[in-house]
């Protein structure tokens, strides 16, 4: 279905909406300005809590509030300090208390305006507030557009590891406006590109090649706000969302093929946790993908040359390949055991068979790997 926003005839051609279970995803430059009408259609409510971090709130909050007000919606902005360090139960509790104090009731909708931290946190607030109110995801980083806002996972980090407390809560609507990426710092853009590379590796070799060839244009200094860059960005977001949507549609709660999305994330999460979040999520995932490709080749499940292609894409994206030297391989291995992806204490990896296809279909897409091999690769 085409977008339902009323002045469609005067608006630029709308992207077809991508449906993921109950969620509709709109990817369109300028979509932020028509957000109010879209939200009113997809998630009618008495009140709207726009949850954002302070950085995004300062950059894009006023526009979002204006668009909601134009559509006749009653909305308030609740902001918290930016950064992974704030994706905690404490922030979740603080936001929930602020909503309760402000008199939000069951007939409320949460609008998550920001990157993956905001999406996960605000999504978890929505999942639990009054036993659950709808959430609209408005991702503002590339990573959130192609990954975090899609699929319904919400949650917070704990000292024991990332995302260990949370809930599945599918958004009523996802609105991605590639124009907001013009304000995104370059390291954050590259961090999102890591997930786009991952989507290519797990599902679609041609998409992988498209991402690699788009890199020079996307990363050229000063290119971020050019129309051509925004169109390239849109194409990339659409391609990635289609891949993720396809995987999630086949397996909403991660019993099977959804586990392929964890490529690069088992070691990536361990490295990210060990860095105390000094590494960006996508940077840690890039290192994780380089290491896990190597693991796949050494375990004999990946075609020869897979690692080289993955490493080449990561390098071209300006992302790191090596784990921080001070991190201890044994400590990283121990961290992978606390990861949600371990089953009965055995860590199973999502490993590529080649670029564009994953290994382990018969084993439920998880490949058990000897600790010795993991240590060898980490060393
Ligand atoms: P983030 O939300 O911390 O955003 C990165 C930084 O960019 C922040 O400082 C933010 O304020 C700033 N920012 C956001 N949008 C901006 C914009 N348009 N212009 C300028 N600055 C902007 O981090 P992220 O990389 O978007 O997301 C990482 C998080 O997402 C992690 O916590 C990860 O666990 C989570 N995640 C979740 C899923 C999922 O399925 N739920 C998937 C992948 C990642």
């Amino acid at each position: 279905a085409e977008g339902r926003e009323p002045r469609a005839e005067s608006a630029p051609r709308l992207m077809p909406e991508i449906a993921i279970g109950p969620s509709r995803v709109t990817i369109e430059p300028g979509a932020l300005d028509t957000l109010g009408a879209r939200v009113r259609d997809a998630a009618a409510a008495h009140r709207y809590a726009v949850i954002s971090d302070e950085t995004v709130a300062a950059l894009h909050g006023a526009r979002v509030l204006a668009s909601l007000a134009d559509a006749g919606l009653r909305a308030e902005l609740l902001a918290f300090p930016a950064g992974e360090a704030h994706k905690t139960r404490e922030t979740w509790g603080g936001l929930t208390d602020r909503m309760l104090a402000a008199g939000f009731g069951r007939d409320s909708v949460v609008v998550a305006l920001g990157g993956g931290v905001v999406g996960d946190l605000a999504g978890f607030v929505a999942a639990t507030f009054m036993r659950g109110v709808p959430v609209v995801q408005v991702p503002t980083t590339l990573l959130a557009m192609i990954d975090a806002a899609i699929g319904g996972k919400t949650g917070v980090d704990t000292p024991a590891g990332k995302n260990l407390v949370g809930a599945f809560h599918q958004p009523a609507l996802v609105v991605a406006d590639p124009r907001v990426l013009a304000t995104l710092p370059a390291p954050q853009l590259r961090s999102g590109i890591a997930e786009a590379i991952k989507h290519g590796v797990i599902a679609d070799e041609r998409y992988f090649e498209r991402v690699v060839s788009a890199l020079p244009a996307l990363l050229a200094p000063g290119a971020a706000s050019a129309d051509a860059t925004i169109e390239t960005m849109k194409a990339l977001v659409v391609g990635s969302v289609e891949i993720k949507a396809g995987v999630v549609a086949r397996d909403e709660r991660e019993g099977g093929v959804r586990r392929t999305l964890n490529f690069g994330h088992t070691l990536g999460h361990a490295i990210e946790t060990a860095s105390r979040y000094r590494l960006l999520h996508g940077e840690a995932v890039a290192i994780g993908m380089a290491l896990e490709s190597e693991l796949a080749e050494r375990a004999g499940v990946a075609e020869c040359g897979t690692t080289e292609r993955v490493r080449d894409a990561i390098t071209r994206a300006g992302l790191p390949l090596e784990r921080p030297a001070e991190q201890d391989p044994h400590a990283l291995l121990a961290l992978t055991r606390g990861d949600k992806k371990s089953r009965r204490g055995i860590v199973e990896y999502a490993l590529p068979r080649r670029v564009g296809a994953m290994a382990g279909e018969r084993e439920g897409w998880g490949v058990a790997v000897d600790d010795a091999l993991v240590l060898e690769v980490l060393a």
Side-chain angles (χ1 to χ4, degrees):
E2 290 287 301
R4 292 216 248 141
E5 161 265 323
R7 282 161 295 141
E9 67 279 3
S10 60
R13 198 179 71 81
L14 299 182
M15 277 307 298
E17 285 178 350
I18 300 168
I20 308 177
S23 313
R24 290 187 298 149
V25 184
T26 298
I27 302 151
E28 188 202 331
L32 219 58
D33 295 317
T34 54
L35 182 69
R38 294 171 193 281
V39 168
R40 194 182 50 205
D41 280 358
H46 177 56
R47 286 176 75 180
Y48 294 83
V50 180
I51 297 183
S52 192
D53 70 33
E54 286 165 3
T55 307
V56 178
L59 288 165
H60 304 291
R63 245 172 96 204
V64 163
L65 288 179
S67 173
L68 293 169
D70 283 351
L73 307 180
R74 182 176 169 203
E76 281 129 86
L77 183 66
L78 303 170
F80 62 92
E84 186 76 35
H86 296 281
K87 198 177 110 179
T88 59
R89 284 169 291 201
E90 289 68 32
T91 312
W92 165 79
L95 289 166
T96 302
D97 287 346
R98 283 164 71 187
M99 283 179 66
L100 291 169
F104 280 91
R106 261 179 228 289
D107 48 0
S108 305
V109 163
V110 169
V111 177
L113 172 70
V117 165
V118 172
D120 281 7
L121 193 52
F124 190 45
V125 169
T128 48
F129 189 76
M130 307 255 165
R131 296 204 182 86
V133 297
V135 64
V136 172
Q137 292 284 354
V138 186
T140 63
T141 62
L142 179 60
L143 185 128
M145 288 184 191
I146 68 173
D147 195 2
I150 309 294
K153 284 190 189 176
T154 73
V156 293
D157 303 331
T158 78
K162 273 181 62 76
N163 303 325
L164 293 180
V165 176
F168 283 96
H169 192 51
Q170 291 292 348
L173 174 71
V174 182
V175 178
D177 179 349
R179 272 194 209 288
V180 303
L181 300 176
T183 56
L184 196 64
Q188 301 291 350
L189 186 65
R190 286 196 287 267
S191 181
I193 288 169
E195 298 286 355
I197 292 171
K198 180 195 79 178
H199 287 142
V201 175
I202 68 167
D204 187 339
E205 185 174 18
R206 273 196 302 183
Y207 178 70
F208 177 86
E209 289 304 339
R210 266 169 50 209
V211 173
V212 172
S213 28
L215 289 173
L218 290 180
L219 297 171
S225 52
D227 283 349
T229 313
I230 288 162
E231 282 305 311
T232 307
M233 205 70 89
K234 179 174 93 176
L236 196 127
V237 174
V238 170
S240 255
V241 168
E242 280 173 347
I243 290 172
K244 182 155 184 188
V247 172
V248 173
R250 286 160 64 199
D251 174 18
E252 208 168 292
R253 291 198 168 225
E254 199 163 284
V257 68
R258 188 164 178 165
R259 296 169 78 200
T260 59
L261 292 166
N262 291 329
F263 169 52
H265 283 61
T266 306
L267 293 175
H269 273 170
I271 290 164
E272 186 179 6
T273 303
S275 82
R276 293 173 200 273
Y277 305 113
R278 274 190 295 271
L279 282 173
L280 296 178
H281 180 71
E283 291 170 344
V285 167
I287 301 167
M289 289 193 294
L291 292 168
E292 291 180 16
S293 305
E294 180 79 42
L295 200 57
E297 277 198 43
R298 291 197 192 199
V301 302
E303 273 174 20
C304 210
T306 306
T307 310
E308 204 182 314
R309 286 181 76 187
V310 172
R311 288 176 68 97
D312 176 64
I314 292 169
T315 307
R316 285 170 194 264
L319 287 158
L321 289 166
E322 310 293 341
R323 67 173 170 80
E326 70 279 8
Q327 292 187 352
D328 170 45
H330 285 90
L332 291 174
L333 187 68
L335 278 170
T336 63
R337 295 230 168 70
D339 200 89
K340 296 183 299 317
K341 291 176 280 297
S342 71
R343 285 196 203 174
R344 284 174 253 107
I346 298 170
V347 182
E348 292 182 344
Y349 287 81
L351 297 181
R353 189 152 54 80
R354 57 175 175 80
V355 170
M358 293 299 275
E361 179 166 9
R362 262 179 302 165
E363 295 80 33
W365 304 102
V367 181
V369 183
D370 273 354
D371 284 357
L373 203 58
V374 178
L375 287 172
E376 208 177 291
V377 166
L378 281 171

